[in-house]
Amino acid sequence: NQLAFNCCSAAGATSAQFIWNFGQDSTFAGNEAAGGNTDANGIGDFFSTVPDNALALCTANLPSGAIDTLADETPEEYFNTVLYTGNGGTQSITGVNFQPSLTWIKSRSAAYDHVLIDAVRGVEKQIISNKADAESQQSGKGLTSFDSDGFTVTIGTSTSYNNSSQTYAAWNWKANGSGVSNTDGSITSTVSVGATSQQNWFSVVKWTGNATTSTVGHGLGVAPDMIIVKNLDAGDQNWQVFASPQGNTKSGQLQSSGAFLTRTYWNNTDPTSSVFTISNQDAVNENGFDIIAYCFANAEGLCKVGSYTGNGSTNGTFVYTGFRPAFVMWKRTDTTSDWFMMDVKRDIDNPTDHKLEANTNGPEVVNSAYYTDYLSNGFKLRNNNAQLNASGGNYIYLAIAEQPFKYANA
């Protein structure tokens, strides 16, 4: 749509004054008779008739996208990061603001593994993003319950959850609990969908492999732009990552710093609004083995999977997401590079510089080499680090919103 505005001007011998009306005052500060004209949405006060489909320049005319901010809906109702300190026993972690269906925990202060627990597989069952290990059962320990405002952790013998005096970050996604059966694909899956009032955007999907090229229902109603897959029963099968900017012929590995390479896991087929396609390869479809996938769809004002090219400068590339990010995970795809993870709970102001890596168990590192500004409509690299902003380097990212651009502060 066009932007609508009127102009009234007065010229002097050496200067000119312009009074602009973007829909707020058809009298131009009392210089004209009121016009009383509105835009196509019935908004504004224009002196002249507004052209068809032109809109007043105001917040109300910005698209609402996946989040209905006019109904006080916020991204934190669907994704939230919480920080906590372990107590060496059992504790309830609150402040998430919803009951998670996926929680991803990493120690900030020590070299402990990343652990992912979801409601479809059930509590006390962990997979590790920095290893190819099979799922392990943490009976009576680890994350023992998903609660209405967070989750409960018990140390047991695992330091990845609640070791005394260690600090932790936990990233949480809301979906539909243990999920429901989905028969959209040739393989029946169990699907737990994360939905805002406007759009499905995230899902947890579980199936049993059959070693033949197959389709799997994901429940989103829109095509996912990132799919993160792990064979749960095999400790020798790597994580596989589909990212739409890389296309359906390539896959990355979450536990590895390696580049995205040409691989056949997606059968050279794009996901649709109902299913994604998997080949007969063991990492995604081993016969009789359980497989899990975390799917993310682009959702305006909430989630963006995208790509950018680095410029190698501390006045780095600006990446438009359409929202102020709360969380960004990104990876250089054309060469060796770690999976960087940064969020606004560990970095409360710009430039952000607190880095964890999904593919390593290393503790949090704070370094100006990772400087990045989170802006009202995206993020801007403030570093020339080759893993984030090499000249000509190719990168993919998953970003989730703190606030849609419509209401975000710079």
Side-chain angles (χ1 to χ4, degrees):
N1 287 331
Q2 306 172 63
L3 293 175
F5 61 89
N6 294 157
C7 172
C8 176
S9 67
T14 59
S15 64
Q17 179 185 30
F18 293 87
I19 301 174
W20 296 90
N21 172 25
F22 293 94
Q24 79 279 9
D25 178 15
S26 62
T27 71
F28 295 95
N31 289 287
E32 301 286 350
N37 295 290
T38 63
D39 67 13
N41 289 336
I43 296 172
D45 178 20
F46 290 95
F47 177 77
S48 304
T49 301
V50 178
D52 292 343
N53 297 318
L55 301 178
L57 186 62
C58 63
T59 299
N61 277 328
L62 292 173
S64 58
I67 297 294
D68 186 359
T69 50
L70 295 180
D72 295 325
E73 193 174 15
T74 67
E76 283 195 343
E77 296 175 39
Y78 307 104
F79 170 83
N80 203 357
T81 303
V82 293
L83 309 178
Y84 66 96
T85 301
N87 67 7
T90 298
Q91 67 169 319
S92 295
I93 308 303
T94 59
V96 176
N97 300 322
F98 55 80
Q99 180 169 312
S101 290
L102 168 63
T103 295
W104 180 335
I105 298 173
K106 176 65 181 83
S107 170
R108 303 172 62 192
S109 52
Y112 303 151
D113 291 330
H114 293 254
V115 287
L116 288 81
I117 310 91
D118 63 71
V120 173
R121 293 182 294 117
V123 297
E124 301 177 1
K125 295 180 180 180
Q126 70 176 30
I127 46 180
I128 299 171
S129 71
N130 53 283
K131 294 179 179 177
D133 290 6
E135 174 187 78
S136 60
Q137 175 75 46
Q138 306 291 300
S139 298
K141 60 191 178 186
L143 191 152
T144 57
S145 67
F146 289 116
D147 308 325
S148 61
D149 187 31
F151 53 91
T152 298
V153 286
T154 300
I155 186 170
T157 59
S158 175
T159 54
S160 291
Y161 296 89
N162 196 35
N163 205 37
S164 180
S165 301
Q166 300 295 336
T167 57
Y168 295 85
W171 304 284
N172 301 273
W173 286 262
K174 181 180 180 181
N176 189 29
S178 59
V180 298
S181 178
N182 183 296
T183 58
D184 290 341
S186 60
I187 294 178
T188 297
S189 56
T190 300
V191 178
S192 180
V193 175
T196 73
S197 67
Q198 308 296 311
Q199 180 185 333
N200 298 341
W201 73 285
F202 163 72
S203 65
V204 181
V205 183
K206 184 182 177 184
W207 68 94
T208 301
N210 63 13
T212 64
T213 299
S214 304
T215 56
V216 180
H218 53 68
L220 291 174
V222 294
D225 291 278
M226 179 172 283
I227 306 170
I228 302 174
V229 177
K230 180 67 181 79
N231 184 324
L232 298 173
D233 296 330
D236 61 348
Q237 293 299 322
N238 295 322
W239 292 77
Q240 298 299 328
V241 180
F242 165 85
S244 58
Q246 284 289 291
N248 58 42
T249 64
K250 291 187 176 182
S251 184
Q253 297 179 343
L254 188 63
Q255 86 295 330
S256 169
S257 62
F260 271 62
L261 298 176
T262 299
R263 298 182 171 108
T264 61
Y265 295 116
W266 321 116
N267 199 45
N268 299 349
T269 305
D270 284 335
T272 72
S273 61
S274 58
V275 300
F276 56 88
T277 301
I278 51 176
S279 69
N280 61 357
Q281 300 298 303
D282 286 351
V284 296
N285 199 14
E286 187 165 1
N287 189 44
F289 283 38
D290 287 338
I291 319 288
I292 198 77
Y294 305 117
C295 302
F296 303 87
N298 285 342
E300 186 174 353
L302 176 61
C303 180
K304 177 67 174 176
V305 176
S307 63
Y308 67 91
T309 301
N311 67 7
S313 169
T314 54
N315 183 16
T317 299
F318 165 73
V319 182
Y320 176 82
T321 62
F323 51 77
R324 176 178 168 82
F327 169 89
V328 181
M329 180 172 73
W330 63 105
K331 168 87 173 74
R332 186 171 179 181
T333 60
D334 56 344
T335 191
T336 300
S337 174
D338 294 313
W339 290 85
F340 277 56
M341 304 174 76
M342 298 172 79
D343 62 72
V344 296
K345 295 298 177 67
R346 291 181 294 128
D347 270 304
I348 61 174
D349 53 23
N350 287 324
T352 63
D353 58 5
H354 289 59
K355 181 254 310 182
L356 289 166
E357 298 164 346
N359 59 297
T360 79
N361 70 351
E364 181 177 82
V365 176
V366 182
N367 195 309
S368 60
Y370 315 128
Y371 273 179
T372 304
D373 283 347
Y374 284 177
L375 307 175
S376 62
N377 58 351
F379 60 94
K380 181 176 176 61
L381 285 305
R382 294 292 188 183
N383 66 77
N384 56 8
N385 188 312
Q387 296 197 84
L388 296 172
N389 190 35
S391 179
N394 297 317
Y395 301 83
I396 58 105
Y397 64 88
L398 166 66
I400 302 175
E402 179 186 35
Q403 190 67 267
F405 176 45
K406 185 171 183 175
Y407 292 108
N409 295 320

